[in-house]
Amino acid sequence: MSTADRHFLDMALALASQGLYSTMPNPRVGCVIVNDGQVVGRGWHQRAGHAHAEVHALREAGAAARGSTAYVTLEPCGHHGRTPPCADALVAAGVRRVVTASADVSQSIGALRLREAGIAVEAMPCPRARALNRGFFSRIERQRPWVRVLRPAALAIGAMGEGTMLSHCDEQAPLAYWRGRASALLTTCDWVKACDPSLLAQVPTQRVEPVAPLRVVVDQGLDCPALAKVLDGRAPTLVLHCAQAMRDGRYARARCQVIDNVDTQRVLQALYELDCNEVQVEAESAWCEVLAHQGLVDEWLVQV
């Protein structure tokens, strides 16, 4: 990777990070269009169903996109979803070269489409690009969300297991940051009874309205306190319970879903089916230990 390539990919990554709280379930993507060494277009994906990063950058570049290089943090899509393929837009604009910082196994047809049109496609893998979308990649490649666990104070270091990431909740990255980038915030009835968490993200003001993470309560017998903050209706809320449980008025503002065997594996499967990328767990030590024992913890979040 040349110094110039690294510089423009860094710019694209900075753009992508602006979608940290708003693109779910889509990945966070940034794009920079460069012609003759000059940046002529910038764009980032803002929300699922809206234009992708490449389209925003091409619109800004206009005619200057012809013969240019596009730096994209994720391989351009090549399929028709809620928006047309970005690969087709790059071809139509006359882009000469595309540099990608991360591959997407679900969109590999995009790079093929570009090459078929005579566009040079160069993969320059960047760990930061993977890290920005670790939840998206986990869902696509492993068919389960990325699981981040806020370590309870009572949980012994030895119970955390090995081979997982360790992140810190501090002034630089407060709890609101970690909650805000999650697709779902998962807790249990026991933790609600003990701590009464609100599980609200409350992220800083953004240019684009954030997507509120789904609050998820594993409440097998539907016996959470009626006035629990997590049932206050201030954010989308899902209560997972077993078939034998009965509903009552306290859950009027929450969606309830019956799942077989309300255990860690089945809960994560349910969230995968809801297209959740990153799941942040805030629960009691016993539940967190079960996740760790089953090898389901990808990242521990330690408050400092």
Side-chain angles (χ1 to χ4, degrees):
M1 187 187 303
S2 71
T3 301
D5 287 335
R6 183 176 293 106
H7 171 69
F8 293 128
L9 278 180
D10 283 346
M11 290 181 61
L13 281 164
L15 288 166
S17 67
Q18 294 187 54
L20 187 68
Y21 306 120
S22 63
T23 66
M24 292 82 77
N26 285 5
R28 299 120 182 175
V29 183
C31 178
V32 173
I33 307 291
V34 178
N35 202 334
D36 201 21
Q38 301 297 312
V39 175
V40 295
R42 302 173 181 83
W44 55 283
H45 182 46
Q46 300 178 9
R47 188 175 292 274
H50 292 200
H52 289 188
E54 297 92 325
V55 173
H56 284 296
L58 289 171
R59 286 173 180 168
E60 183 176 296
R66 186 159 300 279
S68 67
T69 294
Y71 293 88
V72 191
T73 59
L74 183 69
E75 183 177 337
C77 66
H79 79 295
H80 282 271
R82 283 185 280 186
T83 59
C86 293
D88 288 356
L90 292 165
V91 171
V95 171
R96 176 182 59 83
R97 175 177 175 245
V98 173
V99 178
T100 63
S102 56
D104 181 355
V105 295
S106 70
Q107 303 292 343
S108 56
I109 190 174
L112 177 62
R113 173 76 182 91
L114 294 172
R115 291 190 174 100
E116 287 176 342
I119 296 175
V121 180
E122 299 178 31
M124 297 184 180
C126 174
R128 287 170 54 206
R130 288 282 303 187
L132 186 62
N133 288 308
R134 57 175 65 110
F136 172 78
F137 289 122
S138 178
R139 179 169 62 84
I140 296 300
E141 298 171 1
R142 303 190 300 173
Q143 288 74 57
R144 77 163 176 83
W146 178 271
V147 178
R148 177 170 55 251
V149 177
L150 180 63
R151 174 179 172 263
L155 183 68
I157 294 292
M160 292 168 58
E162 299 179 357
T164 57
M165 283 185 59
L166 190 65
S167 298
H168 294 95
C169 182
D170 52 26
E171 291 184 2
Q172 300 255 319
L175 187 57
Y177 163 84
W178 294 107
R179 283 180 174 177
R181 65 173 290 163
S183 298
L185 302 171
L186 175 65
T187 193
T188 66
C189 180
D190 286 346
W191 192 245
V192 170
K193 288 179 178 179
C195 301
D196 195 20
S198 65
L199 295 188
L200 294 174
Q202 298 176 324
V203 300
T205 303
Q206 304 291 305
R207 288 177 55 187
V208 179
E209 183 70 21
V211 174
L214 177 68
R215 301 188 295 188
V216 182
V217 184
V218 179
D219 185 4
Q220 186 159 329
L222 285 181
D223 59 353
C224 272
L227 298 179
K229 293 175 184 175
V230 77
L231 300 177
D232 62 11
R234 295 174 63 191
T237 306
L238 172 66
V239 177
L240 301 176
H241 64 94
C242 65
Q244 289 76 23
M246 299 292 292
R247 286 196 63 179
D248 60 38
R250 82 186 77 177
Y251 299 96
R253 290 180 292 188
R255 190 166 102 243
C256 290
Q257 178 180 337
V258 176
I259 62 175
D260 299 326
N261 302 319
V262 185
D263 59 18
T264 54
Q265 298 272 4
R266 186 63 189 91
V267 167
L268 293 181
Q269 176 65 27
L271 297 181
Y272 163 73
E273 292 168 0
L274 290 173
D275 290 338
C276 291
N277 292 337
E278 296 180 26
V279 173
Q280 179 157 313
V281 178
E282 299 184 27
E284 68 277 7
S285 297
W287 222 75
C288 297
E289 285 184 24
V290 171
L291 284 168
H293 179 71
Q294 294 178 346
L296 296 174
V297 179
D298 299 303
E299 180 181 9
W300 288 100
L301 182 59
V302 179
Q303 291 183 299
V304 297

